[in-house]
Structure formats: structure tokens, C-alpha cells
């Protein structure tokens, strides 16, 4: 961790080199004779466009070694001074997001009319598609066409109808099933009917646990997630208190 | 938010009360015969400079050891207003005043924050070499001895009130690169030597998790620079960083484009490329003039004080989460540590001991713990996933949020607002988070 201003030419392949170090050793001698050809090809390819170079060569060499040699070629090209600029070399091989209803950085609600009213479901679908697209293909943010869409323009009842209600139905169903069978089970064990059970404190506690369980544990992973959350919420505090733990233990000495 | 801060303040207050009840006869209130207390401050950044100045002003014999006087630190360089006031910084130190910040979400929703700033309010952008040199010169003017040297190690005292023996390489222009090995004896050591602190290693302070911040300084054409004259940008998204953010900060005559991460350090180049892509239109045609990287501590070291050696600034790990702010806390902790030493030694006349240094820790923890905790919670909630980041940017459009954010950043205090506004804010936050995560769940279902 000594120096933090590495020269430009060496920055590019260092991480790649570290990862492929072990493979590189035994692949290296296989590829030596092809090296000069690779270098020539990659320099003419132009430095900086790292992603697509692995697909070019169809030699018997494995893709790993190809990428590696290309990296070396790219590195040499860089040190030749070809690449000191923030160029647009990351060319968009994928087209940017386009949708005729996406106008001026937001969804044009007039194009979502259905039966005289806005079809909010379609707006939600369109936004989901846009976000998915951008997640997979991030784009440059632009000042000429800033994105100003805000999800709060979609009315609250639409969100409830589409997302909350199905989930609520599911959870209520689970709670009802658990409730019915637990009531039957406890009745068969103790003879207390539903009304009597509700008067009992232990049964009320069980009911509370069942409701909380249904609400918070919706998938199998949730149990682990809750445990992690609890630990996470106090972790930072513990890190800050660490120097005081140390003091208390030295007091006892 | 108010209840969160009060419970955490109470949690910190508890150890303090326990300690004051225990009557401890301090073994050292040794009056120093004929000489003032000697303290070595290792490291001449904001923490070291502030510490050395306060120590020297308090009558303590101070030596400040800095290894590179013209060190151009790779750093965001943003300082809050309270630092300008509290440290009486001359305004010409500040290269730029940032009054507008743009937050850009993963789907490029762009929100401008800064509408609530008054005409005199800004985030100051400084060049670290200028700020550091200024603080060191103030320390020197106050009476500290500023030495160009590299701290190597120290020898612990032989007997309970004995001196620490510091070994360092003294660099004198005449002697050339190698430097001359020297030793001095001091009564206390303040480690202000940054994230890779050697003092911390010597005293066995333990390790911390750190983020790698990687940035490129880019000189862009004049007309593009005009856009960044008073504006900084923050890009959030999984492509830019899985647990931090990418930024474009304006400097004196160029911009710094960078990103950082804790968990995926090996992919930092990929994240940097993604940041450049997101800012592509605005920095096109720019020339990279410098590439730099540095570690940012994520939390304090397990042990911040050991006998008469203590840590301040980045060496101690006082960098906030969420924003990664460290300059102000470094300077403030340096000053607070020095104040505790001056007080504990009665202006340099008595020897100090560990309890005096713990007083500084206690004061610092108590004063800034709520700030750190709130920022930690914000990071955990809003930097979790793309959905959370979308919600975060959406929330930033709210004026109340902007006002609270800037108040807490610029002045390091939170003026409790109207409780109704707080409730409205909570409801809106939850609403944003719910909407964003609902959209994300739908995103998982479709394939483009």
C-alpha cells in the first residue's frame, strides 16, 4: 500500500495480471510464438476498447490468454501516447434507450391513455423496462435531455392495487391457514375453544408470534436476512466502542 | 431522526458516567522540572497541523514531522463552512465554491440540490497541498518545530514516566535523498500520519476496513468547465460503485472524476470506466493529467490510544460513511487532542497520561457520534441496491431533505425541524423506497 500515484501505462493490466497470474505462467510459453502477431493486431485495433478484443482472435489459444495478450498490446499502445485522452472509445455497441412515449426526459402521459384515463399500469411497465435497460446498458447522463421522471406522479392507489394487494392476499391467506390449524390443534389438546383461547395470555402471545412471523418471514432467505440485519445495525457502534473495551479491560489489570 | 440521535447519545454517555464514578488515583501528576512537555506530532496534514498549532499555543514543546512538504494529496478536497469559521481559514485558500450538487441515479434521473443554500453558503473546494501548507505554517508561527522527515519507529518508555524515543529519517536538501537517521525523546506522540499510519502500527492499534478511492484528474475544455464552475456531481449505481458513489468534483482548473469501493476493490478500474461513461458528454475531449488512488478508512481503529500515544484524523479512522468526509474531522480531532493534552498537562507543566488522552476520545466521540451514526444508517439504507439509490435521488428532490442535508454538512449540527415535516419526510422516504423496490422486483421478472 506504499504508493498511490501509479504511472498511467501500468495501471491498466495490473488487476487482470494478478487474477490470471497462475494461469499466465503455463499459458505463456504456449503463446510466445503468437505474441508478435497479437501485438500488431491489437495496436491497429486501437487501445481502450478492451471489451471486444477477446472475441476477435479465433486461434487455438484459450480466451484467457488472448485477452491477456491483448491487454499487453493495449498497454503498449497506451504507453506510445495514443491514449491520454478521455475519448469516446467506449463506443455504444448497444443503442441507447429509445421509446416513443419517453419524451423530454419523462413519460408523456398523454400517450398512455386508455378509455379516456391514464393507464398507470402501462406507465409502470414502461418505467420498469427503462430501468432494466439502463441497468444492463448504462448510459451517459446528458444535460440536454435531463431525466426528470419522478415515480410519485403515479398515484398511490395504483401502487397499492398492483403491488400491495397481491402480497397482502398471500400473507392473509397464510395467516388464515396457520390460524385455523393452530386453533384446531390447541383445541384438540386443551379443549379450549376459539373464544377461550383468545382470553388466554399464552395463546395471545402465540397469535402475536404467528402474525409477526408471517409478516417478516416471507421467503426462506428472510430468516438469514433478519439475523444479518440485527448484527449489522449494531456493528458500527461496536467498532466505535472498541477503544473503550480496551480501556475497561486494562482497568481490571 | 431526533429519537435516533438521542438514544445513541445516551449509549455513548453511559461509559462516561461509569468512569467518573470510579475513583482512580492518577499515578502521574508529575510536575516536569525545568522543561515543558514535549510532544511529537507525526504527519503534517490537516490533523497534524491543527494539533501542532494548538499544542504550541498551549505552551507545549511541539515537533511536527512531515515526510513530504509539497505532498499533493489525492483527495476530494471539500471542506464545510464550519471549518472555515472554526479554523479561521483565509478565504483565498478556497479555489471554488460549490453551491450546486447534482445527484444522478442509476437510471439517470438527475436532481439538483442546493436550492436552499443562502448566498453565503457553499462547499469549499481546496487544494490539499495549499491547505496543508497553510496549517503547518500556522503551527510554525505558533512555535512548533516543523521537520521534514519520515517517521520510522518509536521505542516505548523504559520506566513509567520515561520518554518515548522516536526514530526518524531527517531530510535535509543538502544531504540528498537518503536522509539522516535521527532520534529524539518526547513525552507523548500524536499519530496524524494518515490512513497507512506507521504510528498506528507501532502502537498496535489494529486494522480497519478501508475503501479504495480512485480518481483521475481531467482537464476539460473551457465551455465544459463552465458547467462545473460551481457544481459538483454525484453518480450512484451498481455500475459506478456497489457501495459508494462516483463523482465529478471541480478543482482549480480541472475536474476530478473518480469512484470508490470497499467490497470490490479489484474492479475499481471497471467502476472508473463506468463513471467516465456516465459523465461522458460532460467531460468529452478532456485530457487525463493525473491518476491517483488512496485508501479511505471506514471506521475507527480498535485501539486509538495506548499509554501516551494516540491517533487523530485518518490514522484514527475518523471518516464518515455515506459521504466519505474526513478533512474537517481530521483537523477537529487534532485540535481536540491537542486541547486535551494542553489541559491535562496544565499548559505543558505536568506530564500527561493515558486518561488525559482518553478525555479527548470521549469528547470527540460524544460530540460527533450522532453524525457518524446517522451517516452510517443513511449509507446502509440508501446505498444498498439500485432500488434504494433511485429512492435516495428521488428523496433529494425534496426541499426539506436538502435543507437538512446541507445544514448537517455545513455546520455539523442538525436543527430539529417541525415534527410534522419530519413525519412527512419519513412517510415520503418509505414511499420512495417501497416504490423503487416494487419496480425492481418487476424488473427481475422481465427479460429484455
Amino acid at each position: 500500500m506504499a504508493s498511490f500515484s501509479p504511472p498511467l501505462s501500468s495501471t491498466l493490466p495490473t488487476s487482470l495480471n494478478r487474477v490470471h497470474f497462475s494461469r499466465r505462467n503455463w499459458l505463456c510459453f504456449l503463446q510466445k510464438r503468437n505474441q508478435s502477431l497479437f501485438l500488431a493486431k491489437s495496436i491497429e485495433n486501437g487501445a481502450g476498447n478492451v471489451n471486444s478484443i477477446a472475441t476477435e482472435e479465433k486461434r487455438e489459444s484459450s480466451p484467457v490468454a488472448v485477452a491477456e495478450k491483448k491487454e499487453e498490446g493495449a498497454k503498449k499502445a497506451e504507453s506510445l501516447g495514443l491514449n491520454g485522452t478521455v475519448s469516446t472509445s467506449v463506443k455504444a455497441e448497444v443503442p441507447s434507450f429509445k421509446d416513443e412515449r419517453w419524451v423530454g426526459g419523462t413519460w408523456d402521459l398523454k400517450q398512455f391513455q386508455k378509455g379516456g384515463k391514464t393507464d398507470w399500469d402501462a406507465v409502470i411497465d414502461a418505467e420498469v423496462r427503462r430501468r432494466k435497460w439502463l441497468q444492463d446498458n448504462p448510459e451517459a447522463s446528458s444535460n440536454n435531455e435531463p431525466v426528470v421522471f419522478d415515480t410519485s406522479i403515479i398515484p398511490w392507489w395504483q401502487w397499492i392495487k398492483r403491488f400491495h394487494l397481491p402480497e397482502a392476499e398471500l400473507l392473509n391467506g397464510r395467516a388464515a391457514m396457520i390460524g385455523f390449524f393452530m386453533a384446531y390443534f390447541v383445541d384438540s389438546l386443551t379443549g379450549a375453544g376459539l373464544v377461550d383461547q383468545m382470553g388466554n395470555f399464552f395463546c395471545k402471545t402465540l397469535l402475536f408470534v404467528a402474525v409477526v412471523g408471517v409478516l417478516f418471514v416471507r421467503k426462506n432467505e428472510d430468516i438469514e436476512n433478519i439475523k444479518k440485519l440485527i448484527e449489522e445495525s449494531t456493528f458500527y457502534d461496536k467498532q466505535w466502542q472498541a477503544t473503550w473495551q480496551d480501556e475497561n479491560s486494562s482497568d481490571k489489570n | 431522526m431526533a429519537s435516533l440521535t438521542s438514544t445513541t447519545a445516551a449509549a455513548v454517555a453511559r461509559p462516561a458516567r461509569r468512569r467518573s464514578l470510579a475513583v482512580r488515583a492518577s499515578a502521574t501528576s508529575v510536575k516536569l522540572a525545568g522543561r515543558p512537555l514535549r510532544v511529537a506530532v507525526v504527519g503534517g496534514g490537516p490533523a497534524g497541523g491543527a494539533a501542532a498549532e494548538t499544542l504550541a499555543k498551549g505552551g507545549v514543546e511541539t515537533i511536527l514531522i512531515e515526510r513530504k512538504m509539497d505532498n499533493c494529496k489525492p483527495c476530494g478536497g471539500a471542506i464545510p463552512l464550519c471549518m472555515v469559521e472554526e479554523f479561521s481559514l483565509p478565504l483565498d485558500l478556497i479555489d471554488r465554491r460549490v453551491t450546486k450538487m447534482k445527484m444522478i441515479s442509476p437510471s439517470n434521473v438527475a436532481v439538483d440540490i442546493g436550492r436552499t443554500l443562502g448566498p453565503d453558503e457553499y462547499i469549499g473546494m481546496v487544494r490539499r497541498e495549499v491547505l496543508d501548507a497553510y496549517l503547518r505554517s500556522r503551527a510554525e508561527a505558533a512555535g512548533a518545530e516543523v521537520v521534514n522527515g519520515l517517521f520510522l519507529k518509536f521505542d516505548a518508555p523504559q520506566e513509567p514516566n520515561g520518554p518515548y524515543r522516536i526514530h526518524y529519517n531527517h531530510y535535509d536538501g543538502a544531504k540528498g535523498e537518503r536522509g539522516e537517521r535521527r532520534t529524539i525523546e518526547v513525552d507523548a506522540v500524536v499519530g496524524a500520519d494518515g490512513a497507512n499510519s506507521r504510528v498506528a502500527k507501532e502502537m498496535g492499534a489494529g486494522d480497519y476496513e478501508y475503501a479504495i478511492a480512485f480518481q483521475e484528474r481531467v482537464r476539460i475544455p473551457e465551455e465544459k468547465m463552465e458547467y462545473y464552475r460551481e457544481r459538483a456531481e454525484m453518480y450512484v449505481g451498481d455500475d459506478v460503485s456497489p457501495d459508494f458513489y462516483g463523482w465529478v468534483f471541480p478543482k482549480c482548473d480541472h475536474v476530478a472524476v473518480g469512484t470508490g469501493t470497499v467490497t470490490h476493490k479489484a474492479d475499481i478500474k471497471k467502476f472508473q470506466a463506468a463513471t467516465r461513461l456516465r459523465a461522458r458528454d460532460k467531460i468529452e475531449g478532456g485530457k487525463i493529467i493525473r491518476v491517483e488512488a488512496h485508501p479511505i478508512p471506514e471506521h475507527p481503529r480498535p485501539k486509538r490510544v495506548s499509554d501516551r500515544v494516540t491517533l487523530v484524523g485518518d490514522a484514527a479512522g475518523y471518516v464518515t460513511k455515506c459521504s466519505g468526509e474526513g478533512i474537517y474531522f481530521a483537523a477537529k480531532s487534532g485540535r481536540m487532542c491537542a486541547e486535551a493534552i494542553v489541559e491535562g498537562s496544565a499548559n505543558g507543566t505536568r506530564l500527561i497520561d493515558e486518561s488525559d488522552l482518553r478525555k479527548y476520545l470521549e469528547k470527540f466521540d460524544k460530540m460527533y457520534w450522532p453524525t457518524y451514526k446517522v451517516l452510517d444508517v443513511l449509507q446502509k439504507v440508501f446505498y444498498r441496491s439500485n432500488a434504494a439509490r433511485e429512492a435516495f435521488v428521488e428523496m433529494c428532490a425534496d426541499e426539506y431533505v436538502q435543507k437538512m442535508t446541507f445544514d448537517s454538512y455545513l455546520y455539523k449540527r442538525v436543527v430539529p425541524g417541525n415534527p410534522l415535516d419530519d413525519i412527512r419526510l419519513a412517510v415520503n422516504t418509505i414511499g420512495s423506497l417501497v416504490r423503487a423496490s416494487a419496480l425492481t422486483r418487476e424488473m427481475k421478472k422481465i427479460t429484455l
Side-chain angles (χ1 to χ4, degrees):
Chain A
M1 210 54 74
S3 82
F4 283 101
S5 316
L8 184 58
S9 56
S10 69
T11 51
L12 189 56
T14 45
S15 56
L16 195 58
N17 280 345
R18 230 179 286 127
V19 167
H20 296 302
F21 188 62
S22 50
R23 286 196 240 174
R24 185 188 176 159
N25 279 340
W26 57 271
L27 279 178
C28 221
F29 68 88
L30 289 176
Q31 310 311 324
K32 277 266 179 338
R33 56 188 180 92
N34 294 328
Q35 191 165 358
S36 51
L37 249 85
F38 281 40
L39 282 181
K41 281 223 174 334
S42 55
I43 286 179
E44 120 201 15
N45 187 24
N49 200 354
V50 176
N51 293 332
S52 61
I53 47 180
T55 57
E56 260 197 281
E57 280 302 318
K58 302 264 186 290
R59 301 248 162 193
E60 67 273 12
S61 50
S62 75
V64 168
V66 173
E68 189 128 289
K69 292 296 174 281
K70 292 293 185 191
E71 285 285 304
E72 282 201 284
K75 166 183 173 181
K76 296 233 166 24
E78 270 192 13
S79 59
L80 289 177
L82 289 180
N83 199 15
T85 56
V86 178
S87 58
T88 54
S89 62
V90 187
K91 295 261 184 294
E93 286 129 358
V94 191
S96 59
F97 177 73
K98 289 252 183 311
D99 189 312
E100 61 215 3
R101 298 166 300 180
W102 178 258
V103 173
T106 185
W107 294 107
D108 182 9
L109 294 177
K110 289 198 283 294
Q111 299 191 40
F112 286 94
Q113 298 291 334
K114 191 167 88 168
K117 288 205 289 217
T118 327
D119 180 6
W120 295 112
D121 244 352
V123 177
I124 291 181
D125 283 330
E127 178 64 10
V128 164
R129 206 174 154 273
R130 184 184 79 92
R131 288 192 182 187
K132 176 91 183 165
W133 179 278
L134 284 176
Q135 183 171 286
D136 296 335
N137 318 295
E139 265 174 35
S141 111
S142 145
N143 281 341
N144 303 329
E145 270 201 31
V147 174
V148 292
F149 178 67
D150 186 339
T151 55
S152 57
I153 61 168
I154 302 172
W156 60 273
W157 45 262
Q158 178 60 31
W159 294 98
I160 291 186
K161 219 164 68 166
R162 173 139 174 192
F163 295 108
H164 177 71
L165 291 185
E167 185 88 9
E169 191 182 339
L170 188 74
L171 296 181
N172 277 311
R174 287 183 187 167
M177 286 188 269
I178 294 176
F180 177 76
F181 281 107
M182 285 308 292
Y184 184 89
F185 187 58
V186 174
D187 191 348
S188 67
L189 283 182
T190 64
L194 193 56
V195 177
D196 294 326
Q197 281 181 39
M198 284 299 98
N200 179 301
F201 178 71
F202 179 63
C203 290
K204 281 195 269 211
T205 315
L206 273 184
L207 175 67
F208 181 72
V209 168
V211 168
V212 168
V214 163
L215 273 178
F216 289 123
V217 183
R218 300 185 192 188
K219 299 197 287 281
N220 283 345
E221 301 82 48
D222 283 346
I223 306 176
E224 276 307 311
N225 287 348
I226 292 179
K227 275 200 264 182
K228 265 198 278 180
L229 257 176
I230 295 176
E231 198 209 292
E232 219 182 72
S233 61
T234 51
F235 189 55
Y236 194 54
D237 309 45
K238 289 204 200 90
Q239 288 172 331
W240 272 79
Q241 301 291 349
T243 200
W244 299 105
Q245 310 305 345
D246 177 59
E247 183 225 14
N248 289 336
S249 62
S250 67
D251 268 356
K252 294 185 189 102
N253 289 346
Chain B
M1 278 223 195
S3 61
L4 186 69
T5 56
S6 62
T7 48
T8 50
V12 173
R14 254 185 282 120
R17 263 186 274 133
R18 265 212 302 272
R19 283 179 62 247
S20 61
L21 283 177
V23 174
R24 240 197 279 121
S26 182
T28 62
S29 270
V30 173
K31 201 147 164 55
L32 294 165
R35 64 169 180 85
L37 183 76
R38 296 161 305 183
V39 174
V41 178
V42 181
E53 184 193 354
T54 310
L55 282 172
K57 279 207 183 119
V60 172
E61 186 182 319
T62 319
I63 176 167
L64 174 67
I65 304 176
E66 164 60 41
R67 89 182 153 88
K68 195 161 184 282
M69 293 303 197
D70 55 354
N71 202 358
C72 185
K73 294 269 181 70
C75 178
I79 57 170
L81 267 184
C82 55
M83 180 159 180
V84 178
E85 286 156 15
E86 286 175 36
F87 291 85
S88 318
L89 298 180
L91 290 177
D92 58 6
L93 233 52
I94 296 175
D95 289 332
R96 274 184 196 273
R97 301 177 177 204
V98 166
T99 53
K100 294 190 273 268
M101 270 202 75
K102 196 173 237 180
M103 321 279 293
I104 299 169
S105 82
S107 66
N108 282 338
V109 178
V111 167
D112 268 314
I113 64 176
R115 288 201 299 273
T116 55
L117 285 178
D120 289 329
E121 296 181 323
Y122 53 87
I123 303 173
M125 305 298 288
V126 300
R127 266 169 294 167
R128 280 293 303 278
E129 58 272 24
V130 173
L131 175 71
D132 295 356
Y134 173 75
L135 289 174
R136 279 197 300 266
S137 70
R138 278 234 303 249
E140 198 160 20
E145 185 191 345
V146 177
V147 160
N148 186 359
L150 175 65
F151 169 81
L152 295 169
K153 66 188 189 82
F154 65 74
D155 298 327
Q158 317 286 47
E159 60 296 329
N161 293 339
Y164 283 87
R165 177 170 272 264
I166 304 227
H167 301 258
Y168 69 98
N169 262 344
H170 183 96
Y171 295 133
D172 178 6
K175 294 251 182 2
E177 291 290 318
R178 283 277 322 279
E180 174 200 330
R181 177 104 173 215
R182 286 196 191 172
T183 64
I184 52 168
E185 284 189 353
V186 293
D187 302 306
V189 182
V190 175
D193 44 347
N196 298 320
S197 169
R198 226 176 248 213
V199 175
K201 209 155 71 144
E202 288 285 310
M203 70 184 260
D207 274 325
Y208 47 32
E209 268 141 42
Y210 60 94
I212 282 283
F214 184 94
Q215 92 180 346
E216 289 165 344
R217 301 204 186 204
V218 181
R219 187 161 281 134
I220 56 179
E222 247 331 286
E223 60 278 10
K224 296 207 189 269
M225 197 65 211
E226 184 54 34
Y227 171 73
Y228 286 112
R229 198 165 58 86
E230 283 187 348
R231 186 184 276 113
E233 285 183 329
M234 251 177 75
Y235 293 88
V236 288
D238 268 334
D239 54 330
V240 163
S241 168
D243 52 5
F244 207 60
Y245 58 88
W247 63 82
V248 178
F249 287 160
K251 302 250 175 226
C252 45
D253 59 353
H254 55 274
V255 293
V257 180
T259 180
T261 174
V262 181
T263 49
H264 290 73
K265 296 191 180 81
D267 295 329
I268 190 77
K269 296 284 173 51
K270 200 169 66 136
F271 299 141
Q272 178 69 10
T275 312
R276 277 209 302 266
L277 170 63
R278 295 259 240 131
R280 181 188 62 202
D281 291 347
K282 297 173 225 171
I283 58 173
E284 196 162 338
K287 198 166 165 324
I288 300 178
I289 55 179
R290 201 183 146 101
V291 177
E292 48 200 19
H294 61 111
I296 302 182
E298 285 289 296
H299 62 87
R301 292 192 194 259
K303 207 162 129 172
R304 286 177 269 158
V305 67
S306 170
D307 202 9
R308 283 172 273 138
V309 183
T310 189
L311 300 171
V312 294
D314 269 13
Y318 295 141
V319 176
T320 63
K321 295 230 172 170
C322 196
S323 59
E325 184 197 350
I327 303 183
Y328 172 72
F329 295 105
K332 199 70 202 284
S333 64
R335 177 179 276 192
M336 282 169 116
C337 175
E339 281 170 355
I341 294 179
V342 166
E343 198 180 304
S345 70
N347 285 59
T349 53
R350 310 185 93 93
L351 191 63
I352 57 163
D353 72 349
E354 185 170 324
S355 65
D356 297 305
L357 294 172
R358 285 207 178 258
K359 287 205 184 81
Y360 128 67
L361 285 183
E362 192 183 324
K363 191 163 161 219
F364 185 82
D365 283 3
K366 197 156 118 183
M367 190 180 268
Y368 292 114
W369 167 244
T371 310
Y372 281 93
K373 183 63 183 175
V374 165
L375 285 167
D376 176 53
V377 169
L378 283 180
Q379 164 148 331
K380 286 205 176 79
V381 171
F382 287 116
Y383 284 11
R384 264 204 129 75
S385 61
N386 268 355
R389 295 183 191 112
E390 294 279 354
F392 177 53
V393 174
E394 227 174 70
M395 286 312 302
C396 285
D398 184 72
E399 285 228 355
Y400 186 64
V401 169
Q402 290 186 25
K403 189 168 99 55
M404 305 241 66
T405 309
F406 275 114
D407 261 352
S408 59
Y409 174 77
L410 291 176
Y411 306 111
K412 299 285 174 281
R413 64 151 195 257
V414 178
V415 178
N418 191 349
L420 269 165
D421 281 331
D422 280 332
I423 295 177
R424 194 179 57 86
L425 173 66
V427 166
N428 283 344
T429 310
I430 295 174
S432 280
L433 283 167
V434 163
R435 288 196 297 265
S437 57
L439 286 178
T440 306
R441 267 177 288 139
E442 283 295 302
M443 275 160 69
K444 290 204 183 78
K445 290 189 204 155
I446 69 168
T447 44
L448 282 175

